[in-house]
Amino acid sequence: MDGRLNTTELHAEFLNHKITVYCQRLDYGYEIRILGGQRSHVGSVTVADEQGNLQTITLPGHKEDVITRQWAAQIWEIVKQPVSVLGGVHYDDLEKEQLMEVIHVLEKLLAECKMNLQKS
């Protein structure tokens, strides 16, 4: 390692539970974890390769692939390096309006993450 490895943490809160994003710059590539809600977990993982091609694995019953694919594609557009995104945000029994609010929170975190990457 050449010492450039660093991690940025972003935080938000929804329904009294934290959502945390960890964005780690590697020597070559980026590793991002989006976790929180009532239970952090592994729901989906998306990897963007050097050309921006996406590969996603989603565990049965999970829907985080929508989030991980969006994040991987948009982060790759900035860094043009491999990107892995793990998503696991869970809330019990959300109504459609609440789900839309979670998506809005995640979009704000994505915008903040992208802004941080563009500065570095």
Side-chain angles (χ1 to χ4, degrees):
M1 300 269 181
D2 66 5
R4 292 184 301 149
L5 187 74
N6 65 43
T7 302
T8 300
E9 286 187 31
L10 306 173
H11 302 276
E13 191 169 307
F14 183 71
L15 294 177
N16 297 316
H17 294 280
K18 286 185 180 180
I19 298 173
T20 304
V21 173
Y22 303 92
C23 180
Q24 185 169 28
R25 181 176 65 189
L26 310 172
D27 287 328
Y28 183 65
Y30 288 79
E31 189 261 344
I32 297 167
R33 289 172 286 140
I34 308 161
L35 303 168
Q38 291 170 314
R39 184 182 53 157
S40 63
H41 63 284
V42 175
S44 179
V45 177
T46 297
V47 175
D49 67 15
E50 292 175 324
Q51 290 76 40
N53 301 308
L54 302 180
Q55 296 180 33
T56 302
I57 297 173
T58 304
L59 297 180
H62 294 267
K63 298 176 182 153
E64 286 90 355
D65 59 304
V66 173
I67 296 162
T68 60
R69 291 180 66 78
Q70 175 190 29
W71 280 64
Q74 291 189 29
I75 298 301
W76 182 87
E77 284 294 331
I78 295 168
V79 300
K80 303 292 192 210
Q81 295 180 14
V83 177
S84 71
V85 181
L86 178 145
V89 177
H90 178 82
Y91 288 93
D92 290 327
D93 304 318
L94 287 182
E95 295 176 15
K96 185 176 181 177
E97 185 177 295
Q98 292 172 315
L99 178 59
M100 297 309 293
E101 289 181 50
V102 171
I103 291 169
H104 180 69
V105 167
L106 292 170
E107 287 173 349
K108 287 173 65 175
L109 288 168
L110 175 56
E112 188 176 347
C113 182
K114 289 167 50 176
M115 186 174 65
N116 288 342
L117 289 171
Q118 289 168 335
K119 287 180 185 176
S120 60

